[in-house]
Amino acid sequence: METSAKTQQSQVKTMAARSMDAADITMIHADSLAGILAAIARLSQDDTITKLASLGRAVAGDLHNEADLFREEAESIALGV
């Protein structure tokens, strides 16, 4: 394999690893946000705040799932290179 091809392959693996790390961090933050919003929804006595917090929790869950898919795609790229 040529040096430039090896270099390019190494760069792709590095970028994929960084992307996986970023996705993992995003998932952790999304889970934290979902927990905070769940507590707000549970503790609030205002129906509007409860509904908004519940909606926010659902969005945070969607963010977690999307970040997980992104992480899996980055992992596949890293393994496939």
Side-chain angles (χ1 to χ4, degrees):
M1 186 181 299
E2 291 182 18
T3 302
S4 63
K6 286 182 181 180
T7 301
Q8 186 178 19
Q9 186 179 28
S10 176
Q11 289 172 340
V12 169
K13 285 186 177 185
T14 299
M15 290 174 59
R18 287 181 182 168
S19 295
M20 289 168 30
D21 290 344
D24 285 338
I25 291 168
T26 300
M27 290 166 40
I28 290 167
H29 288 298
D31 290 344
S32 296
L33 180 59
I36 292 166
L37 290 169
I40 291 170
R42 187 173 53 251
L43 296 173
S44 177
Q45 295 180 355
D46 185 316
D47 287 343
T48 302
I49 292 173
T50 300
K51 289 177 185 176
L52 287 172
S54 294
L55 178 61
R57 183 177 178 212
V59 171
D62 291 343
L63 174 62
H64 172 99
N65 293 337
E66 289 295 324
D68 191 31
L69 290 173
F70 179 77
R71 184 193 54 75
E72 289 174 2
E73 289 174 7
E75 185 176 25
S76 293
I77 290 170
L79 294 175
V81 171

